[in-house]
């Protein structure tokens, strides 16, 4: 009798036609959680098990939410954490699975917290923010001093059709190779120390920028585009190392970042673009002298995290395109070359109101 009533209700809701996909999905989820609930129902231990997992979930939440409070006093631990901060999110699904295996209700609830914190920090990067239009395409690439194929690398980055191209880690022996490979695409160029700038548009007021290293790894030039003048900075900040005894050694990088930030702050032109390998991410507080006054094109108009290093398995975006006084339209990572970095590019709108 009960079976007959159920069949009558089903016939009233649509007969024998196929069940909508949304209904099937909800029924599958309901069945799954129903089985989980059936296995846990009447088990008093679900609120006592998983205290260690709960502790880890809370710890990851605190690290992400309070990363700026982690001191740099000991081995620059704060900067090291901030460099790889997005990867902490990988622990969330691991904790979720372990909580289910342990049948721990308290751990399941606790896992929600790091998930929310991570989404608050990085959820926006999961949304495609790329746009269309723009009037200037820029690109930057650390070509690697030990690059076995500089000519091929030059052709690869020129294929990006960038109007302005910055190269870092140039050696004296490789500069003529890059000049020869890029001359057909870029009429104007300048090399200062180990960094160089190639442009389709005229360059003027070219000069090295002192970033307190004793040799030249940064430069500045005025690029006269059809839409107006833009100050373009190219920089390769000192490398950082992770050492067992010294931790994250970044003192010279931090000093150079401060000097670069001062140079950009003193810039007279209102439109500024920074291209280069900063050996740090936008989350790294030690780059605040630069990041506090400029916008990341990837953060404003990119899709995803745009990791650029190492090229074989990118884990961090240390190659940056940052702007001030111009509007980012789209930002992306270029295909791998013979370097250990990926080149990155962006299109911006110079003619902003």
């Amino acid at each position: 009798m009960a079976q007959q009533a159920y069949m009558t209700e089903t016939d009233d809701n649509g007969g024998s036609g196929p069940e909508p996909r949304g209904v099937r999905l909800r029924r599958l989820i309901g069945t799954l959680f129903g089985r989980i609930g059936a296995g846990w129902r009447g088990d008093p231990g679900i609120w006592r098990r998983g205290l260690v997992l709960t502790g880890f979930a809370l710890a990851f939440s605190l690290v992400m939410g309070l990363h700026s409070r982690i001191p740099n006093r000991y081995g620059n631990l704060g900067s090291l954490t901030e460099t790889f901060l997005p990867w902490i999110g990988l622990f969330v699904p691991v904790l979720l699975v372990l909580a289910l295996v342990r049948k721990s209700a308290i751990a399941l609830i606790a896992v929600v917290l790091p998930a929310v914190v991570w989404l608050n920090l990085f959820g926006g990067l999961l949304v495609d923010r790329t746009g269309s239009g723009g009037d200037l395409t820029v690109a930057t690439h650390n070509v690697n001093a030990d690059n076995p194929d500089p000519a091929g690398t030059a052709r690869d980055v020129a294929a990006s059709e960038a109007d302005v191209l910055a190269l870092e880690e140039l050696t004296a022996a490789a500069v003529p190779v890059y000049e020869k490979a890029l001359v057909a695409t870029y009429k104007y160029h300048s090399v200062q120390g180990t960094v160089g700038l190639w442009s389709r548009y005229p360059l003027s007021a070219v000069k090295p920028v002192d970033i307190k290293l004793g040799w030249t790894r940064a430069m500045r030039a005025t690029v006269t585009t059809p839409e107006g003048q833009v100050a373009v900075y190219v920089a390769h900040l000192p490398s950082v190392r992770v050492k067992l005894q010294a931790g994250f050694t970044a003192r010279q990088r931090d000093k150079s970042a401060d000097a670069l930030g001062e140079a950009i702050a003193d810039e007279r032109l209102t439109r500024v673009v920074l291209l280069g390998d900063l050996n740090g991410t936008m989350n790294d507080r030690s780059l605040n002298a630069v990041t506090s006054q400029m916008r990341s094109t990837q953060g404003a108009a990119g899709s995803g995290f745009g990791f650029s290093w190492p090229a074989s398995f990118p884990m961090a975006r240390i190659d940056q395109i940052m702007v001030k006084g111009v509007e980012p339209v789209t930002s992306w990572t270029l295909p791998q070359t013979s370097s250990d970095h990926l080149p990155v590019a962006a299109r911006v709108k110079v003619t902003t109101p």
Side-chain angles (χ1 to χ4, degrees):
M1 192 71 174
Q3 182 179 6
Q4 183 176 0
Y6 175 79
M7 293 176 62
T8 302
E9 288 179 5
T10 303
D11 291 339
D12 290 342
N13 287 335
S16 59
E19 189 176 48
R21 181 178 300 177
V23 174
R24 291 201 303 271
L25 179 61
R26 287 194 296 271
R27 179 170 295 178
L28 178 62
I29 294 175
T31 301
L32 175 62
F33 280 94
R35 290 177 179 176
I36 293 175
W40 293 17
R41 192 174 297 119
D43 182 0
I46 62 174
W47 297 104
R48 294 196 295 266
R49 289 190 296 265
L51 294 181
V52 173
L53 293 177
T54 300
F56 275 114
L58 295 177
F60 291 140
S61 302
L62 290 173
V63 169
M64 290 188 291
L66 301 176
H67 63 87
S68 62
R69 301 296 182 91
I70 300 175
N72 260 342
R73 184 178 307 169
Y74 306 104
N76 281 300
L77 182 60
S79 289
L80 176 61
T81 302
E82 289 165 338
T83 298
F84 300 102
L85 194 61
W87 292 94
I88 296 179
L90 291 179
F91 290 103
V92 173
V94 174
L95 290 174
L96 176 62
V97 171
L98 292 176
L100 291 172
V101 172
R102 286 285 292 153
K103 294 185 178 180
S104 170
I106 189 172
L108 277 177
I109 295 173
V111 168
V112 175
L113 185 57
V116 170
V117 174
W118 190 92
L119 287 173
N120 181 61
L121 290 173
F122 304 110
L125 296 176
L126 303 179
V127 179
D128 187 351
R129 300 168 306 285
T130 58
S132 58
D135 40 41
L136 182 69
T137 301
V138 297
T140 180
H141 189 26
N142 180 326
V143 295
N144 187 0
D146 298 322
N147 193 317
D149 183 19
T153 296
R155 289 191 296 270
D156 290 341
V157 291
S160 67
E161 299 184 349
D163 300 309
V164 177
L165 171 65
L167 300 182
E168 303 87 47
E169 211 164 295
L170 297 170
T171 63
V175 166
V177 179
Y178 287 107
E179 290 176 331
K180 181 179 179 180
L182 295 172
V183 66
T185 305
Y186 301 100
K187 185 177 180 179
Y188 310 93
H189 87 280
S190 176
V191 175
Q192 303 287 322
T194 61
V195 298
L197 186 65
W198 278 258
S199 173
R200 300 179 191 270
Y201 307 123
L203 301 178
S204 61
V206 179
K207 63 179 182 180
V209 174
D210 183 11
I211 55 173
K212 311 302 181 185
L213 279 174
W215 69 95
T216 302
R217 284 177 48 150
M219 63 177 290
R220 179 251 183 236
T222 297
V223 179
T224 304
T225 76
E227 288 73 31
Q229 291 186 330
V230 180
V232 177
Y233 285 77
V234 183
H236 182 197
L237 297 187
S239 299
V240 296
R241 297 287 186 269
V242 180
K243 299 180 179 179
L244 184 61
Q245 295 180 341
F248 193 61
T249 57
R251 182 174 301 175
Q252 185 58 61
R253 190 279 311 266
D254 300 347
K255 182 179 178 181
S256 294
D258 291 341
L260 178 61
E262 290 178 8
I264 294 173
D266 292 338
E267 175 59 51
R268 294 184 178 182
L269 293 181
T270 58
R271 300 172 179 140
V272 184
V273 174
L274 170 62
L275 307 168
D277 174 7
L278 302 190
N279 270 307
T281 68
M282 294 296 295
N283 295 315
D284 191 339
R285 79 198 65 173
S286 296
L287 300 184
N288 279 350
V290 176
T291 58
S292 62
Q293 56 179 320
M294 305 191 79
R295 299 173 67 192
S296 163
T297 58
Q298 183 66 26
S303 177
F305 291 93
F307 294 148
S308 63
W309 178 87
S312 57
F313 188 82
M315 297 182 65
R317 185 182 178 88
I318 62 175
D319 300 276
Q320 305 289 354
I321 299 177
M322 303 176 67
V323 297
K324 179 169 66 172
V326 301
E327 186 66 25
V329 174
T330 185
S331 186
W332 67 98
T333 302
L334 296 170
Q336 185 175 357
T337 69
S338 298
S339 172
D340 58 340
H341 291 242
L342 294 179
V344 296
R347 189 156 178 82
V348 300
K349 186 175 182 181
V350 176
T351 53
T352 55

